Amino acid sequence: MSLALAKPRTKPQSVRREELLRSAEQLFIAQGAAATSIDDIAAGAEVAKGTFYLYFASKDEMIAALREEFGRVSCARIAAAVAACDAADWHGKLAAWVEAGVDSYLDRLRLHDALFHEAGLHRRRGGKGDNSIVRDLATLLATGSAAGAWSVEEPPVTAMLLFHALHGAVDQAIARHTEKQRGDLIRILRDFFLRGVSLAAPRSTAKSCRTERNGRA
């Protein structure tokens, strides 16, 4: 084989780590985190088991990395939806937050459950709400309150309560097999969030700017 056609014997560390993460993600979605071994993850990434330990001390450490990544992706999706609203459209921003929050949860439900529910994070006190999504919502509430758009005395506490309300409503829909009625769920949560920040806007003005652009209910 000529040198020009020879493949590199090693890959950059960032690429190898990414391949391990994607292997674990696919396996967790397919069979759950508990049923997936480090051997499975290494085989999926086409590396020796020892290579896994060059990047992660344990499977738990890898799960923590995937949780962090899940949060970053969700935050970016929600932030993009909020940023698409007009600067003064606070009703639209909060409604967009709700819609993107529900979508982010349901669109990646199997991965979410493998990383958070199955692994037991939500059984830890504060685990379900101590995350970047809640902190970003608290920032939105504080900024809107400072702008006079609504009245929220304790943004961090209010953000925690609203976050739990959203997750509780989505979890109930999943348990009742009604999660496909996503539009109804989003409408209920939009109105609840607006009341939670001391707003009683008419339903017609409480739509997410994202929903209006897409022609969705």
Side-chain angles (χ1 to χ4, degrees), residues 6-89:
K7 294 182 179 180
R9 298 177 64 87
T10 60
K11 294 182 180 181
Q13 289 186 352
S14 59
V15 173
R16 187 66 78 191
R17 184 177 187 275
E18 177 70 13
E19 289 177 344
L20 285 164
L21 288 171
R22 299 290 72 80
S23 172
E25 180 179 295
Q26 292 173 11
L27 288 165
F28 290 172
I29 291 172
Q31 61 190 36
T36 300
S37 67
I38 291 175
D39 289 288
D40 295 332
I41 296 169
E46 299 182 343
V47 298
K49 182 177 180 179
T51 302
F52 176 94
Y53 291 105
L54 296 176
Y55 300 91
F56 304 98
S58 64
K59 189 171 79 170
D60 285 344
E61 183 175 297
M62 170 175 270
I63 289 174
L66 285 169
R67 285 173 177 162
E68 183 179 348
E69 180 182 76
F70 190 100
R72 286 198 305 271
V73 172
S74 295
C75 283
R77 183 172 182 175
I78 294 170
V82 172
C85 299
D86 292 339
D89 184 9

Side-chain angles (χ1 to χ4, degrees), residues 63-153:
I63 289 174
L66 285 169
R67 285 173 177 162
E68 183 179 348
E69 180 182 76
F70 190 100
R72 286 198 305 271
V73 172
S74 295
C75 283
R77 183 172 182 175
I78 294 170
V82 172
C85 299
D86 292 339
D89 184 9
W90 292 98
H91 291 75
K93 288 179 181 180
L94 193 58
W97 195 100
V98 172
E99 184 176 348
V102 171
D103 286 342
S104 180
Y105 189 171
L106 288 177
D107 289 349
R108 297 192 295 160
L109 178 60
R110 294 182 68 178
L111 178 61
H112 174 279
D113 285 356
L115 294 177
F116 296 95
H117 286 289
E118 183 185 343
L121 178 66
H122 290 173
R123 289 193 291 272
R124 176 173 63 83
R125 180 171 294 168
K128 192 171 183 178
D130 181 17
N131 60 60
S132 55
I133 297 176
V134 174
R135 291 190 289 272
D136 285 356
L137 177 58
T139 298
L140 174 62
L141 296 178
T143 305
S145 187
W150 47 60
S151 176
V152 176
E153 293 185 0

Side-chain angles (χ1 to χ4, degrees), residues 191-215:
D191 291 346
F192 181 82
F193 268 54
L194 289 170
R195 289 194 297 272
V197 296
S198 302
L199 290 177
R203 187 181 298 268
S204 59
T205 63
K207 290 182 180 180
S208 160
C209 52
R210 176 185 171 198
T211 294
E212 291 176 339
R213 289 197 310 274
N214 295 338

Side-chain angles (χ1 to χ4, degrees), residues 162-206:
L162 292 175
F163 176 83
H164 277 282
L166 185 146
H167 266 254
V170 175
D171 285 342
Q172 183 181 60
I174 294 167
R176 294 181 175 180
H177 306 291
T178 61
E179 70 274 12
K180 291 185 179 179
Q181 301 171 15
R182 192 177 300 195
D184 292 336
L185 180 61
I186 289 172
R187 279 194 295 272
I188 292 169
L189 284 166
R190 279 200 313 243
D191 291 346
F192 181 82
F193 268 54
L194 289 170
R195 289 194 297 272
V197 296
S198 302
L199 290 177
R203 187 181 298 268
S204 59
T205 63

